[in-house]
Amino acid sequence: MAYASTLKRGVLASLLVGIASVWLLACQVSDSHPQEAEGGSQALALWYNRPATTWTEALPVGNGRLGAMVFGGVDQEVLQLNEDTVWGGGPNNNVTPSLKPYIEEVADLVLANRHEEAQRLADEHIASSNSGMPYQTVGNLVIDLLHEGSADGYRRSLDIGQAISSVKYRMAGVTYYRETFSALSEPAVVTRLSADRPGQMDLDIRFDSPMAHSVSVDGERLRVDGKGADHEGVSGKVRFTMFVQPVLDGGTLESSGDELRIRNANTVTLYTVVATNFVAYDDVSADETAKAEAQLAQALTASYDAVRETHIAHYREQFDRVTLDLGPTDNDDRPTDERLKAFAGGEDPALAALYFQFGRYLLISSSQPGTQPANLQGIWNPQMTPPWDSKYTLNINAEMNYWPAEPTNLSELHDPFFAMIDDLSVSGRKAAERLYGAEGWMVHHNTDIWRITGQVDGAYMWGQWLGGAAWLTQHIGYRYHYTGDRDFLARYYPVLKEAARFYASMLTEDPDTGWRVLVPSNSPENDYLHRGEGEQQAAIDAGVTMDNQLVFDLFTLVEEASEVLGQDEAFADELAELRKQLPPMQIGQYGQLQEWLQDWDSPDDKHRHISHLYGLHPSNQISPYRTPELFSAVRTSMEMRGDESTGWSMGWKVGIWARLLDGNRAYKLLTDQIKLVDENTESFESGGTYANMFAAHPPYQIDGNFGVTAGISEMLVQSHDGAIHLLPALPDAWPEGQVSGLVTRGGFVIDMAWQNGKVTEFTLHSRLGGPVRIRAHRAPTASTNVAVNTIDDPNSGSPNPLMQTPTIKTPLIHRPGVVKAPSVAPVTLVELETERGQDYRFYF
């Protein structure tokens, strides 16, 4: 297949298809049937030949705020509904000032190397007033379909090219159609039911929920009023109102008790809205019923076809920014669950591409400007107390949710995450002052919609971690380095500065080494002393590797922002001096990157968290070119940890192996993750993928999906190490393909094609202008008159200020003889100057 010659034509063809689709939609009449995701569009469809019988077989739709899981039954359709502000409890902060003297005593014990005593004291006394509130379901909209007979020709699908779920089947000579979407253009979930013969729509509409609620018929609509639950001593303060408004073509509508009955209709369109009294994390004073009334009125202002058309256009404006073709497949005609089951044993590159795009679909569907950020399950949860309360776990999971935002061209979807960081910079002042007597703001390893900042789930291995603010604020740097947006940097500079003030005031001299360390903290979520069940364990420590790396990055980012914005030079100088006193990274007795200050790593430790490897990914402190010994040590640590783990961990490992420039090992992790599991899978760290392509921890966590999407982008393009590296970790399984729309640091956009594992052609679009360096298998030839200069020194600094690499301390190597020399494929480094808004095309 001549990918190089078709690269630009493929993008143009996609655009023309999109225009044609919108035109066709505009021409549809009100009783038109949904266009099935068959033929050529099937590459962007999940599909099944039977209804969902479990929640992890149902298909997700969402508009960032309002989500539904669509089961697609024949006799009964169930839409399990969520709204992103329906949480348990109410405004509170779990900071418990009485813990302060115990935290100080624990820190003293750790610094005196009395770790077991420190752990016992922490476990006994460091516990907050609550461990956060749960994200909760709204409930189930149930549609009972009153037709008789057995169905044939059943097909249930989710078209992620249009963000529409559909069902089609035939019964007693009638073909029935159903489609559902959560409108990105309107505040409603919209469901259309129709058939190829008139008068076939006989159905009852009802609602059930585990939440405290009441159901009534309000005129010609169903009304639900409910509230969030009390939890751990905090009263439920969230109230919600839900309306379901049927719009009929023909037929009759009646009510019976708390149900709606529709008979003999040609088509039925349901508009479902949900609103709450939530205003902000510290304000629940809104009128939920008035909000729901306004939402419904807005949704009903346009025809169904118009709402559908606008929804698709809004969605495609975001989704179509990136296309990915990893090669042909013979499996398009197989249901998605069968393809998942067979993936590891056969060749199905298109399923890997679908998995990548499904992650982007989920981010679009669970995070839009103005919504809450995607939580541990995005916006989809059927329970009152889901696993880990479906909160925001800040020691990896919440950050991982947003790893795809910048590189996969969905930058504005990052906005809810920044809004949460802004909130935490206010609520976190209480934690800094009352728990640590420190300046600035901080947050521990977990938060919720109420922006709690105290310890969660006790001190052991997780609750006492101090790195939350340092990791969260790295995303401010990601946005700036990808977009060059100085206004954004200025807007969030105070958040950065106050986070840095916390760590500057917390760094303590380690009496054994003289280094400045954070104490007491953890290396999430691991321990270094584990003597067996029932025996003493210890995880509390000082100066853990991840904390050192995070503080280094935060201080570096504040120094950069200070220079860019021309302010706080003295404070930046203070941080630079403190940064010099941080511990260096260390390579231990096995040639591994040490997780702790002491050489406590064990070759038998298969823990899912690889926190100490943050310096390689998502950070850029470790490089094959600048720090080869540390690069080798990361690989040794990865070999020791092994591959199989939880879904989110395997997503992270895909990215780590990509950064290690090992495409085949990254692909191996990908096959470990893209394997079919079900809700009966009991292994806590088996990973895998459910039939609906949700990532399994198990149970379900959405960060596994986002981690894999980000990891695949890292396999194709990297830009963290001073240059744009093309195909840095391409596996043998993807010898030919093409991608368009991936974004890099410096504001560059890459369209690229490859054959036989080598780039054949690429186009560089420069959004900001400025210099750029390219790494590839050999020097490219420009199709236009632009100077391309070869750079002989791979370690020379990038001339682009948005693509700078850090200078770290020389690592301590305790046994130099065990450190393996890294094996890195030879590359050519070239440099060119670009102009804002211009395209530069190259071939090899």
Side-chain angles (χ1 to χ4, degrees):
M1 186 176 295
Y3 283 94
S5 63
T6 61
L7 179 64
K8 286 298 181 183
R9 286 184 292 169
V11 175
L12 179 60
S14 177
L15 178 61
L16 292 174
V17 168
I19 294 171
S21 297
V22 172
W23 180 81
L24 286 171
L25 285 167
C27 295
Q28 289 178 358
V29 294
S30 62
D31 64 347
S32 60
H33 304 310
Q35 301 295 310
E36 292 299 300
E38 297 176 350
S41 64
Q42 192 159 297
L44 290 174
L46 289 66
W47 76 273
Y48 309 83
N49 56 16
R50 59 181 179 82
T53 57
T54 65
W55 190 84
T56 54
E57 294 176 340
L59 295 173
V61 297
N63 62 7
R65 181 186 65 86
L66 192 58
M69 295 293 289
V70 184
F71 282 72
V74 172
D75 298 323
Q76 183 183 85
E77 176 64 280
V78 176
L79 304 182
Q80 184 270 311
L81 297 164
N82 288 100
E83 200 272 352
D84 70 347
T85 62
V86 177
W87 289 66
N92 79 100
N93 197 337
N94 66 339
V95 170
T96 307
S98 61
L99 304 185
K100 185 174 185 291
Y102 297 109
I103 294 171
E104 292 171 348
E105 187 175 354
V106 168
D108 290 341
L109 289 170
V110 169
L111 292 174
N113 293 313
R114 296 162 62 182
H115 294 89
E116 293 179 53
E117 293 177 63
Q119 191 66 64
R120 282 195 296 268
L121 184 68
D123 291 346
E124 182 176 354
H125 292 289
I126 298 179
S128 301
S129 58
N130 69 73
S131 287
M133 301 295 110
Y135 180 57
Q136 299 188 312
T137 183
V138 170
N140 302 312
L141 178 63
V142 181
I143 305 168
D144 294 312
L145 300 150
L146 308 179
H147 45 28
E148 297 182 357
S150 59
D152 56 46
Y154 179 92
R155 181 186 176 96
R156 175 172 62 99
S157 66
L158 174 63
D159 181 352
I160 66 168
Q162 299 187 99
I164 292 178
S165 172
S166 63
V167 177
K168 176 184 176 182
Y169 56 89
R170 190 167 180 83
M171 181 181 290
V174 179
T175 301
Y176 293 89
Y177 306 90
R178 193 183 319 145
E179 64 179 23
T180 299
F181 57 92
S182 187
L184 282 162
S185 54
E186 308 294 342
V189 171
V190 183
T191 303
R192 158 75 55 111
L193 303 98
S194 61
D196 65 352
R197 295 185 187 178
Q200 300 297 313
M201 291 294 102
D202 296 333
L203 52 98
D204 296 338
I205 304 169
R206 54 192 173 89
F207 178 83
D208 65 60
S209 176
M211 304 284 279
H213 72 285
S214 63
V215 184
S216 59
V217 175
D218 183 1
E220 295 186 338
R221 63 191 184 187
L222 200 66
R223 173 173 177 162
V224 178
D225 294 284
K227 67 182 292 292
D230 302 345
H231 189 74
E232 294 186 6
V234 181
S235 298
K237 297 297 185 181
V238 173
R239 301 186 307 271
F240 63 87
T241 296
M242 167 181 160
F243 291 123
V244 182
Q245 176 70 65
V247 175
L248 277 60
D249 175 18
T252 60
L253 171 65
E254 299 177 349
S255 63
S256 175
D258 56 3
E259 297 184 8
L260 297 176
R261 294 184 174 181
I262 295 171
R263 298 294 184 267
N264 302 316
N266 302 321
T267 64
V268 177
T269 306
L270 304 179
Y271 296 85
T272 302
V273 299
V274 182
T276 76
N277 61 334
F278 182 89
V279 178
Y281 72 94
D282 55 356
D283 183 353
V284 286
S285 64
D287 184 331
E288 67 277 10
T289 301
K291 285 171 65 176
E293 292 277 13
Q295 290 175 4
L296 186 60
Q298 179 182 338
L300 293 172
T301 56
S303 69
Y304 170 77
D305 285 340
V307 171
R308 185 181 191 272
E309 176 184 342
T310 307
H311 160 73
I312 292 172
H314 187 131
Y315 173 77
R316 292 191 64 175
E317 193 283 320
Q318 295 177 337
F319 182 81
D320 287 356
R321 295 173 192 170
V322 172
T323 66
L324 177 61
D325 183 349
L326 296 176
T329 183
D330 295 327
N331 292 317
D332 271 354
D333 60 346
R334 301 180 68 180
T336 301
D337 51 347
E338 293 182 14
R339 292 177 69 184
L340 289 168
K341 189 174 183 179
F343 181 76
E347 295 184 3
D348 192 353
L351 185 61
L354 180 64
Y355 208 95
F356 167 86
Q357 292 286 31
F358 185 61
R360 296 182 69 245
Y361 167 81
L362 292 176
L363 188 57
I364 294 170
S365 301
S366 63
S367 183
Q368 289 285 324
T371 71
Q372 294 296 309
N375 62 48
L376 206 57
Q377 295 184 194
I379 53 170
W380 300 281
N381 161 47
Q383 302 173 8
M384 292 183 66
T385 54
W388 301 282
D389 292 335
S390 194
K391 300 194 296 285
Y392 301 98
T393 305
L394 306 181
N395 61 24
I396 173 64
N397 312 92
E399 290 89 351
M400 183 180 284
N401 282 3
Y402 287 89
W403 286 356
E406 303 298 334
T408 74
N409 221 331
L410 297 171
S411 183
E412 72 270 38
L413 305 190
H414 223 154
D415 288 355
F417 195 66
F418 297 127
M420 180 175 73
I421 296 171
D422 204 13
D423 290 344
L424 290 169
S425 73
V426 177
S427 64
R429 294 172 191 164
K430 182 181 291 186
E433 178 184 357
R434 298 186 183 182
L435 293 176
Y436 301 99
E439 300 174 338
W441 70 275
M442 69 86 62
V443 59
H444 294 85
H445 97 289
N446 210 288
T447 193
D448 58 16
I449 196 171
W450 311 116
R451 307 308 188 236
I452 61 168
T453 55
Q455 294 91 341
V456 167
D457 297 330
Y460 183 66
M461 288 205 299
W462 39 74
Q464 189 48 46
W465 182 60
L466 297 177
W471 199 344
L472 287 169
T473 49
Q474 289 310 305
H475 284 253
I476 297 170
Y478 302 156
R479 164 63 72 82
Y480 174 66
H481 292 141
Y482 276 84
T483 66
D485 187 341
R486 292 194 179 197
D487 291 339
F488 169 84
L489 187 64
R491 161 70 178 82
Y492 282 94
Y493 176 74
V495 175
L496 285 175
K497 178 182 176 181
E498 293 304 305
R501 289 182 67 214
F502 169 75
Y503 293 105
S505 62
M506 280 292 293
L507 285 171
T508 302
E509 182 175 323
D510 174 42
D512 293 335
T513 64
W515 295 326
R516 302 292 291 269
V517 296
L518 290 181
V519 60
S521 191
N522 316 102
S523 184
E525 298 176 6
N526 206 359
D527 59 16
Y528 50 83
L529 178 63
H530 35 274
R531 295 177 174 168
E533 188 174 349
E535 298 186 44
Q536 181 60 40
Q537 298 176 304
I540 297 286
D541 197 21
V544 300
T545 297
M546 184 190 217
D547 284 354
N548 305 331
Q549 294 168 338
L550 284 168
V551 173
F552 178 96
D553 273 355
L554 174 58
F555 286 1
T556 301
L557 180 57
V558 175
E559 292 170 49
E560 178 187 7
S562 170
E563 181 178 356
V564 169
L565 299 173
Q567 55 185 292
D568 289 329
E569 181 179 353
F571 181 61
D573 290 343
E574 176 188 341
L575 296 183
E577 287 302 311
L578 283 172
R579 189 178 60 176
K580 294 176 184 177
Q581 301 174 55
L582 294 171
M585 283 183 264
Q586 302 180 75
I587 300 177
Q589 60 187 311
Y590 306 108
Q592 89 286 1
L593 183 64
Q594 285 184 198
E595 188 164 359
W596 295 274
L597 279 184
Q598 299 86 347
D599 195 353
W600 284 333
D601 299 83
S602 168
D604 298 323
D605 183 1
K606 307 301 179 186
H607 200 272
R608 63 195 177 277
H609 279 260
I610 46 176
S611 305
H612 54 310
L613 308 187
Y614 161 90
L616 177 72
H617 176 55
S619 183
N620 64 346
Q621 296 175 33
I622 298 173
S623 159
Y625 310 107
R626 294 178 285 109
T627 61
E629 296 90 355
L630 288 171
F631 186 80
S632 173
V634 170
R635 186 179 183 99
T636 299
S637 291
M638 286 292 288
E639 296 283 6
M640 287 168 55
R641 280 294 160 92
D643 292 343
E644 186 171 283
S645 189
T646 57
W648 65 262
S649 179
M650 287 198 284
W652 191 358
K653 289 176 179 179
V654 171
I656 290 281
W657 282 110
R659 289 279 179 98
L660 288 170
L661 308 181
D662 191 333
N664 287 333
R665 192 63 176 268
Y667 183 78
K668 194 270 182 185
L669 266 296
L670 196 63
T671 60
D672 288 344
Q673 178 57 20
I674 305 180
K675 65 181 178 184
L676 184 65
V677 298
D678 59 32
E679 292 185 342
N680 296 318
T681 300
E682 296 180 356
S683 175
F684 181 71
E685 297 200 2
S686 63
T689 298
Y690 294 113
N692 64 0
M693 287 184 62
F694 273 166
H697 185 297
Y700 159 58
Q701 282 187 196
I702 201 169
D703 41 28
N705 291 102
F706 294 141
V708 168
T709 293
I712 290 174
S713 73
E714 292 281 345
M715 294 167 75
L716 300 175
V717 177
Q718 295 176 16
S719 62
H720 63 284
D721 203 10
I724 298 173
H725 195 162
L726 304 178
L727 298 186
L730 187 74
D732 295 340
W734 303 338
E736 59 182 27
Q738 57 184 352
V739 66
S740 68
L742 292 181
V743 183
T744 76
R745 287 165 174 80
F748 299 100
V749 184
I750 297 293
D751 296 351
M752 174 176 59
W754 66 93
Q755 287 183 302
N756 300 318
K758 305 294 184 183
V759 183
T760 55
E761 178 184 359
F762 74 96
T763 298
L764 179 81
H765 174 74
S766 180
R767 289 175 171 173
L768 305 173
V772 63
R773 289 182 173 178
I774 307 289
R775 279 194 184 100
H777 64 285
R778 60 186 176 88
T781 299
S783 62
T784 56
N785 187 22
V786 58
V788 179
N789 301 311
T790 300
I791 304 298
D792 295 327
D793 181 4
N795 295 323
S796 61
S798 170
N800 191 311
L802 297 174
M803 303 181 78
Q804 297 301 301
T805 53
T807 300
I808 66 168
K809 276 185 161 182
T810 301
L812 290 184
I813 305 175
H814 297 294
R815 293 183 62 197
V818 301
V819 179
K820 301 174 183 178
S823 176
V824 178
V827 293
T828 298
L829 183 64
V830 300
E831 180 178 310
L832 66 145
E833 187 71 30
T834 70
E835 296 182 14
R836 178 188 293 266
Q838 295 300 305
D839 290 336
Y840 301 86
R841 187 174 180 183
F842 302 87
Y843 60 91
F844 292 87

